[in-house]
Amino acid sequence: VIEHVPVGAGGVAAVVLDDGGSSIPVDGTYDHLLILASFRYTASTYAGENRLTFNGVSTTTEYSSTWLDVSEAGGSSAPASDNETSGAGVRAGVGVGVDQTANIYSVVKIWVPHFANSATYKQVFTQNVMASDDSTTDYYWTLKVIAGLWANTAAITSCTMTGSSNYTETSTFTLYGVKGA
């Protein structure tokens, strides 16, 4: 574990994952990064969007994403795919809002291979599930797989997750360094 961030009272708009205020080591200690998160939004929404940026860079022309997803709404599934050639970070999954059933959280698993390589752009692979058992909303669940790219050769020293609204208290974000996987 490089850093574990539990969201406190009042929620937060963004979560910065580095090494507790310094930076992720790029000295060969780790080969890849893994982010695991469990979260809800403070807004009344059924599906808000997450974004992931690196090193404080939010230039939209440096990030792109392609995704596949399926959502179930009222007994019918709705598969979809799309892409985005520029955005305010790579897409990093969707999350439930406070109008969903209590104690329902979205989860996300994000791999960033070869994050310290300073010769290539950075790839991102995201797996996300958003559950909801609130029958009054449009979507009962969503499963999403996202491939993202940060078109920058800089070694990654920090990751920032930003949601469509604030993350609620009890949301958690954990950054792992992985060696040899």
Side-chain angles (χ1 to χ4, degrees):
V1 174
I2 295 174
E3 185 172 29
H4 176 72
V5 178
V7 175
V12 296
V15 174
V16 177
L17 298 164
D18 48 26
D19 190 14
S22 59
S23 64
I24 299 168
V26 294
D27 60 2
T29 302
Y30 308 113
D31 296 322
H32 318 291
L33 298 177
L34 172 65
I35 299 170
L36 298 179
S38 173
F39 60 93
R40 288 174 63 94
Y41 294 122
T42 58
S44 179
T45 182
Y46 63 84
E49 184 72 43
N50 266 332
R51 296 289 182 153
L52 176 63
T53 57
F54 302 109
N55 299 356
V57 176
S58 59
T59 308
T60 60
T61 57
E62 290 190 23
Y63 296 100
S64 60
S65 304
T66 300
W67 60 93
L68 300 170
D69 65 43
V70 63
S71 298
E72 190 271 330
S76 300
S77 63
S81 64
D82 209 343
N83 72 324
E84 175 179 82
T85 57
S86 66
V90 294
R91 289 184 181 250
V94 293
V96 298
V98 294
D99 59 345
Q100 302 295 312
T101 302
N103 299 317
I104 297 289
Y105 287 78
S106 294
V107 293
V108 68
K109 177 175 160 181
I110 303 170
W111 281 101
V112 184
H114 310 291
F115 73 98
N117 185 331
S118 59
T120 60
Y121 291 165
K122 305 309 177 284
Q123 300 170 353
V124 179
F125 177 68
T126 301
Q127 297 167 296
N128 169 233
V129 65
M130 181 188 77
S132 168
D133 62 359
D134 185 344
S135 61
T136 64
T137 61
D138 293 332
Y139 292 94
Y140 299 114
W141 56 262
T142 299
L143 175 66
K144 189 171 263 206
V145 179
I146 306 164
L149 182 71
W150 182 37
N152 193 309
T153 58
I156 294 172
T157 57
S158 71
C159 305
T160 303
M161 292 283 289
T162 306
S164 60
S165 74
N166 285 359
Y167 296 111
T168 62
E169 181 179 358
T170 70
S171 295
T172 61
F173 299 82
T174 306
L175 174 66
Y176 297 88
V178 179
K179 184 73 174 171

